[in-house]
Each structure stands twice: as structure tokens, then as C-alpha cells.
């Protein structure tokens, strides 16, 4: 697992710290996802047990952002050996448009690049125009011609 890191934004929020998520952050992270209206799988891959296991893996770059000691944002970066993925990105509404998500995503990209992963991607719901605008603003290209298919062992997975 990558060591804890810190980053500060060039503009906007003045005291943002980005660090590795710890399992002790789980409840606060879950609260943040709920507040952000983000779909997540508390009985499946987002359960505390699964998150604790995944945190130990080399493939996980799970980061939180704090402002004055309060949880302001979270991102679950992962990679599959070929490509990196931005998952479960959320910023508390009180801290939006201050560069927090940009910091989190750039830190994931840097850590994945250090592991030889040179492309990162995200799955975004079509209706989530704010998220699509965010990803475009931080340099991602949008491919609306690509359809998402998946197969899962249970609805909770
Ligand atoms: C999407 C989200 C993570 C963005 O977080 P954020 O910290 O506010 O984003 P940033 O401040 O780093 O934004 C960087 C740039 O992205 C663009 N951007 C971000 N949010 C935007 C929005 N809602 N509408 C339009 N552009 C937006 C802007 O260009 C912004 O720069 P600016 O503020 O100087 O104009 C946040 O709105 C959120 O948590 N949404 C709910 C959960 C969600 O949809 N997560 C993504 C799932 S795929």
C-alpha cells in the first residue's frame, strides 16, 4: 500500500490534506457517500469487511481529503494491472468547487503512475452532468459511444 501523502491545492481551499484512508474512516466515508447521493454497495464490495481487505491490496489507492481535520472528500482508486479506475469519488457539499476532487484524482493518478499505470478511467452515470463536467475539467475525454456491460454474482456485489 502506498505510504500516506499530503497535498495542498494551488487555489481554493487553503488547508486540504490528502492521506490514505484508514478503516477507522469507514463510517465517515459512508456518510459522505450518502450525503453525495452516490450509489454504493454497503452489503457488498463497499461493506467494512470488504473495504478493510481491499485496503491491504497493492491495487488500492483509497484516499480521503480533510479540511481542518474534517472529512471533506474520498476516492477509491484501483487498478487492474492495465488501467486505473476512479471509483466512489465524493466531496461533501460544503467543500465543493474548491478543488478537493481535483486534488484527490490527481493524487490517485500520480500514485498509479508510480506503479506503471498510465491511463485512468471512470464510469459515470449519464445523468450525472456535474461529475461529467468535473472529469472533463481535469483532462478526461468522454466517450458517449461506449456502453457499460457487467455481470455480477448478486445484486449486492
Ligand atoms: C463531482 C464532485 C466529486 C466534484 O467535486 P469538487 O471538489 O466540487 O470538484 P473540484 O472543485 O475539484 O472541481 C474542479 C473543476 O471541475 C469542474 N466542476 C466540478 N463540479 C462541477 C459541477 N457540478 N458542474 C460543472 N463543473 C464542475 C469545474 O471546472 C471545477 O473547477 P472550478 O470550480 O474552478 O470551475 C462533487 O460534485 C460530488 O461529490 N458530487 C456528488 C458525487 C458524485 O457525483 N461523484 C462522482 C461519481 S462518478
Amino acid at each position: 500500500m502506498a505510504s500516506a501523502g499530503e497535498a495542498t491545492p494551488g487555489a481554493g481551499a487553503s488547508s486540504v490534506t490528502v492521506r490514505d484512508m484508514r478503516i477507522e474512516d469507514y463510517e465517515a466515508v459512508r456518510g459522505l457517500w450518502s450525503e453525495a447521493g452516490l450509489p454504493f454497495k454497503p452489503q457488498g464490495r463497499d461493506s467494512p469487511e470488504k473495504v478493510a481487505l481491499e485496503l491491504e491490496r497493492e491495487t488500492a489507492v483509497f484516499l480521503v481529503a480533510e479540511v481542518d481535520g474534517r472529512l471533506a472528500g474520498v476516492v477509491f482508486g484501483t487498478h487492474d494491472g492495465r488501467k486505473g479506475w476512479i471509483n466512489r469519488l465524493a466531496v461533501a457539499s460544503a467543500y465543493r468547487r474548491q478543488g478537493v476532487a481535483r486534488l484527490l484524482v490527481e493524487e490517485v493518478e500520480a500514485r498509479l503512475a508510480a506503479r506503471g499505470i498510465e491511463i485512468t478511467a471512470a464510469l459515470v452515470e449519464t445523468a450525472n452532468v456535474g461529475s461529467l463536467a468535473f472529469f472533463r475539467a481535469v483532462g478526461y475525454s468522454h466517450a458517449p459511444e461506449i456502453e457499460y456491460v457487467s455481470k455480477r454474482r448478486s445484486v449486492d456485489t
Side-chain angles (χ1 to χ4, degrees):
M1 206 172 92
S3 59
E6 285 194 6
T8 49
S14 57
S15 57
V16 185
T17 301
V18 172
R19 64 163 172 82
D20 289 302
M21 180 188 166
R22 301 184 283 263
I23 198 59
E24 293 76 21
D25 298 314
Y26 179 84
E27 283 306 324
V29 163
R30 193 176 147 150
L32 214 158
W33 286 334
S34 293
E35 192 226 305
L38 211 59
F40 62 101
K41 301 284 184 181
Q43 311 300 324
R45 64 187 185 276
D46 297 320
S47 69
E49 296 78 17
K50 290 276 174 63
V51 171
L53 280 175
E54 209 174 339
L55 274 171
E56 298 304 317
R57 294 193 187 131
E58 185 275 337
T59 50
V61 184
F62 290 8
L63 305 177
V64 295
E66 289 180 325
V67 177
D68 300 328
R70 301 183 63 177
L71 194 83
V74 61
V75 65
F76 279 16
T78 57
H79 77 85
D80 56 24
R82 290 172 60 87
K83 192 178 281 184
W85 293 95
I86 304 294
N87 308 277
R88 302 289 189 266
L89 172 67
V91 172
S93 49
Y95 299 109
R96 288 189 192 160
R97 304 305 291 264
Q98 297 175 53
V100 174
R102 180 190 291 271
L103 262 180
L104 285 166
V105 167
E106 289 179 351
E107 184 68 12
V108 170
E109 291 167 358
R111 293 195 190 197
L112 290 177
R115 298 173 196 186
I117 303 295
E118 298 191 340
I119 172 172
T120 46
L123 297 170
V124 182
E125 290 180 350
T126 308
N128 194 344
V129 291
S131 179
L132 287 170
F134 164 75
F135 279 107
R136 278 198 208 92
V138 296
Y140 287 66
S141 54
H142 181 201
E145 73 280 11
I146 294 176
E147 300 283 357
Y148 174 58
V149 296
S150 68
K151 186 176 183 180
R152 53 195 76 215
R153 288 183 181 271
S154 84
V155 287
D156 291 330
T157 303

